[in-house]
Amino acid sequence: MKRWILASAVLALAACASPSDSEGTAAKEAPAVDTSRRVLAEEAPGGIVVDFKDGTTKAEFDAWEAEWGVNLEFNSMEGAQTGVTIAQGVEDVDAVLARILQNPAVESAEPLRVYSVPPGEEAVELDSSLEEDSKDGYTPNDPDYPKQWNLRMIHMPSAWKESRGKGVVVAVLDTGIAYEDHDDFKQVPDLKGAKFKKGYDFVNDDEHANDDHGHGTHVAGTIAQVTNNGQGVAGVAFEATLMPVKVLNHFGSGTSADIAEAIRFAADNGANVINMSLGGGGYSKVMADAVEYARKKGVTVVAAAGNAGRPRVEFPAAYPGAVAVAAVGPGGSRAPYSSYGKELDIAAPGGDKRQGDAGGILQNTIDPRDPSRSVYAAYQGTSMATPHVAAVAALLYAEGASGPDEVEKALYAGAKRVGDQAWTEEYGHGLLDAQASLNALGGGASRWPSMWWALALLALVLLTIRGRERPGYLNVLIRPSFLVPLVLATVGVFFARSWFGGASGAAGDVVDAAYLPIPDWQRIIFGRGKVANPLFYSSLIPLLLSFLAIKFKGLRSAIGGLALGFAGFLAYAAWSKAPSLAWMPFHFLALPWLVVNTFICLIIARAMLRKETAG
């Protein structure tokens, strides 16, 4: 059994592992179920996981077990809340799953899968330092900070002047964190003084999520290593709070049941951000549902794209709702081990040790051979890139970002583009830039350019209307029937989440929709993806509504405001060269599409705003 678990570690989710041959689809859309499923290398033999609907009791599923021919138990002591159960030693997995899935109380049921992290790297003494940072930023006094090229690459010194992640909780789903002195476990020195929120160990089913591998502590250090303490190294969001959640054992392997349950646990217990530097186990509906659950609760989920070096992003990074992260080396180019593909969102420093140990990501962690011993180790992998993005998400939350949509919009708007395209398969929206992302957030300022474009275009439209047919500029603006649709189309009800953020269910969906500009309602209807729906990023909605104005003259002002709002939104999207659009055979067609539809909206607005004159 140990040999099988060790072998599963080569599935490499996130550090410096060799390419894996794990199965699974790369699409962000949930793949169709393969009814001819064969046993995959990453499945736990004879294991299944069943996710029941909330409120299903043990007494209820115990009564169904005889019919199903299986003995289910809650996956952990948290199972009564999450509904996640498992069974081992099932002889005919397909037949049992077929029977279980017929029960309406079952949300999903599937083979138990294994996800993993490569073995930890040895600690190294780095004997070279990189160039000191700019003098106008915050420079911590940690003695090995000069060796952290990765922090300067994403412009942390200037970002630290604005945000350090205070008050934000980042859950680290990994091998645990060396965060406490407990039994044989010791807290690593450079995490003394860090803030921690109570987590959970889903591997051993207890409340002490200690690290017996080293990977999780290294990841946590990138996020919130104690900084400016005259010791060791720095972390990105060093005033954030870490939630240690152990889902991988001391071999670096864990099950889909543990990971899915941990995602729900973190979302239910105050996490704002979830970091998952793990993967390689193929598609799991149980885990996909957990990611969706977390996102609906307002949690940003960040995951490693994988280390297979191939054009396919691994799960869980490939699930809809997760931010998929690729890795770059010190030169800013994609690291050769980093996976990439159409599901990719962003790239971040992950290291490239072909240039020596100085090319790795340096943090304080444990010696995997002795968990009580602290070391400073340089790792490489998409595992190391992922916590950079999770930590910058924490900075954005600390500065007022209201949820995953706003966080991701700022992350992608601030990312440094590689080449002349807004999005590429190798780098996603570009290379992470903490300072630029904070600027893009700007306390909500990233919404307002669409409004300014709309107001400028209103002036242009009015100049094209002759004499008595032209209404006054201010007369147009002060009409609620015109102004409200214009605001809804450009910035949305920007205060909705601040005022009604506690709403859930259908009310929460209404709040989410109202918060977004109308063209971005496609995120609610079609789900978040890498590309926008061109039907919403077009003149289609104002055009269809304009036909109503033929019969109902009283709607002309509102439709005019809506058309101007769409024109402002599309014009700003074209000017900022974002986002990419679905169904376009070539990326460059997005720009002319946006420009042409901007002009159609202006024509509609002009027709709606013209005053009718006699004769």
Side-chain angles (χ1 to χ4, degrees), residues 147-165:
K147 301 171 184 176
Q148 293 182 285
W149 57 268
N150 47 308
L151 301 187
R152 294 187 291 286
M153 174 178 279
I154 64 172
H155 301 124
M156 282 315 306
S158 52
W160 279 326
K161 295 175 69 176
E162 295 186 35
S163 179
R164 299 170 187 178

Side-chain angles (χ1 to χ4, degrees), residues 31 36 203 252 269 305 325 361 376 386 444 463 484:
S36 61
V203 175
N269 286 274
V325 184
I361 305 298
Y376 284 87
T386 302
L463 287 175
V484 170

